[in-house]
Amino acid sequence: MFKKIVNTFFTKVFTAVSSFAVLVLVSHILGTEGKGEQAIIAFNISILTLFFTFLGNSCLIYLTPRKDFTLLFIPSLLWMLLLSAVFALLACFVPYFNGQYIWITLIIALIASLSEFNYFVLMGKEKVFEANNVKLIYTVVSLVIVGILALTKRFNGIEDYIFALFIAYCLSLFYGIFVLRKDFKGIYFPNKGIIFQNAKTIFSLGGLKQSGTIAQNLNYRLSFYILAYFWGKDLVGIYSNACSISEAIMMFGTSLALVQYSDLSNNNSAFRAKQLTIKLTKLNAVFTFVAMLVICFLPESFWVFVFGEGFGEIAWVVKLLAVGVTLLSCSSNFTQYFASFGNFSISAFASFFGLAVTLLLSLLLIPSFGLSGAAISASASYIATFSLELIYFIKWTRKK
């Protein structure tokens, strides 16, 4: 298990470094406004992917040891195709959904969703190294393409970033299919009744889990849209970079939590689950706190040097996010603890509660305080999410 945690952590470190490098390049080349537009496109793809994987999400880690591959893949694929068609129709007939990059965004989101399916199945099979490679390929390829375009001075706009995303997700998908080739070769077509029954089973677990994940992601990024509406995309560019930096600190905690989930899903000891969760949460808390402390002491000049003119306010935003990010990182261990027992309702409820806090405070604070209002709203939401999960964990385990 230790090797899996180390591999997952260093994969996330390398992934974070690669993503950070792309962040730097895009920020320097496109500036605050261009970076803001890039952040909104990336978030749109992320949200679409979450909807597309309403059936094929992290509940697959729990179901893979218990279900046949075909009975997981066919319902997940049909859901992705159905929802893709729904969003395509909305793009055709509803002006609000018909943005400039809507069609390529839909295609990339579908490819990313299939890649996510492969990732979660590999985690469910405890093939942690191969699963990490699925994520690693995407970030490395996107960095290489953006880097080459930047060095040859051919990175001229947001279209080049979208091109890099498309190629990166395609290669990630192909790798996952190659690793799971025996499972894909064994796919058969069960009757409608079996498909419906398994879709219902996956939805009963994954639907609730994914609802919470969507709510949590809106906690992270809902402020983007509100900031863009009241203050323009320049502030979105600054705020998105601050959020990415703060959330990158959580990669250690999420590495611990993901391996924890994979391990506990294949183990039935309630005592071991409780003890392992407590130990990993403490380790997560110490590491995240120290890392955030270091980030908070970096001056404005450092961020201007890294990202370019206009990004100095990141120094203040990360300070406002620090407490919330630290506690949210810790809550990931509680989330995976509940999920390992097939209980996704607690974390979903906590995420929706956090989303309500985000929406209320964002509408109250962002119009008047801009970046500070967005950061305070997000941090308050993270604290609320952590607090609820902690209360339920204590109640479940009877552990003080």
Side-chain angles (χ1 to χ4, degrees), residues 113-368:
S113 302
L114 290 168
S115 183
E116 284 287 285
F117 174 87
N118 293 339
Y119 172 77
F120 289 126
V121 168
L122 287 168
M123 288 297 295
K125 291 176 175 287
E126 295 192 274
K127 294 184 177 181
V128 176
F129 301 100
E130 291 84 351
N132 287 335
N133 287 338
V134 170
K135 296 286 188 180
L136 193 61
I137 287 171
Y138 154 70
T139 51
V140 170
V141 171
S142 59
L143 172 61
V144 169
I145 294 174
V146 171
I148 290 173
L149 291 175
L151 288 173
T152 56
K153 297 183 179 180
R154 294 180 180 178
F155 195 104
N156 300 314
I158 201 68
E159 293 82 4
D160 298 309
Y161 169 76
I162 294 173
F163 169 75
L165 286 185
F166 176 76
I167 299 298
Y169 274 122
C170 283
L171 292 179
S172 176
L173 173 61
F174 294 153
Y175 171 80
I177 292 174
F178 174 77
V179 175
L180 293 168
R181 58 191 180 278
K182 290 184 179 179
D183 295 289
F184 278 101
K185 285 180 181 178
I187 288 176
Y188 58 93
F189 294 94
N191 62 54
K192 295 179 182 178
I194 294 176
I195 293 176
F196 178 78
Q197 185 61 40
N198 280 276
K200 186 178 178 181
T201 300
I202 299 171
F203 182 80
S204 66
L205 295 174
L208 186 59
K209 172 76 164 59
Q210 199 71 343
S211 296
T213 303
I214 291 171
Q216 191 60 57
N217 274 265
L218 286 172
N219 287 346
Y220 295 154
R221 300 292 186 263
L222 183 63
S223 302
F224 286 15
Y225 298 112
I226 300 175
L227 265 177
Y229 180 79
F230 285 105
W231 293 86
K233 292 180 180 177
D234 291 76
L235 287 194
V236 176
I238 298 168
Y239 184 66
S240 67
N241 279 9
C243 289
S244 297
I245 293 160
S246 299
E247 291 160 13
I249 301 300
M250 294 193 295
M251 64 186 172
F252 180 77
T254 53
S255 300
L256 290 178
L258 197 56
V259 176
Q260 168 197 348
Y261 182 28
S262 179
D263 180 82
L264 297 184
S265 294
N266 290 274
N267 219 297
N268 295 319
S269 172
F271 177 78
R272 183 177 185 277
K274 178 177 70 173
Q275 294 302 113
L276 180 63
T277 300
I278 291 170
K279 290 178 181 178
L280 294 183
T281 303
K282 289 178 179 179
L283 181 60
N284 186 353
V286 172
F287 181 91
T288 307
F289 174 77
V290 172
M292 284 305 302
L293 198 62
V294 172
I295 293 294
C296 286
F297 276 104
L298 295 174
E300 287 188 14
S301 57
F302 174 82
W303 301 115
V304 171
F305 171 76
V306 172
F307 295 114
E309 288 297 327
F311 288 95
E313 290 180 89
I314 288 175
W316 173 242
V317 177
V318 293
K319 289 182 175 68
L320 294 175
L321 290 170
V323 174
V325 168
T326 301
L327 294 181
L328 186 65
S329 181
C330 295
S331 73
S332 63
N333 294 107
F334 300 142
T335 297
Q336 305 300 14
Y337 170 83
F338 297 129
S340 68
F341 289 100
N343 187 314
F344 303 101
S345 59
I346 294 173
S347 298
F349 174 69
S351 296
F352 276 106
F353 180 71
L355 178 58
V357 173
T358 297
L359 182 60
L360 176 63
L361 292 183
S362 293
L363 292 175
L364 288 174
L365 299 179
I366 289 177
S368 300

Side-chain angles (χ1 to χ4, degrees), residues 55-73:
L55 296 185
N57 52 61
S58 60
C59 74
L60 295 173
I61 299 176
Y62 175 79
L63 290 172
T64 295
R66 298 164 173 82
K67 290 279 186 179
D68 182 70
F69 178 83
T70 297
L71 300 181
L72 298 176
F73 178 71

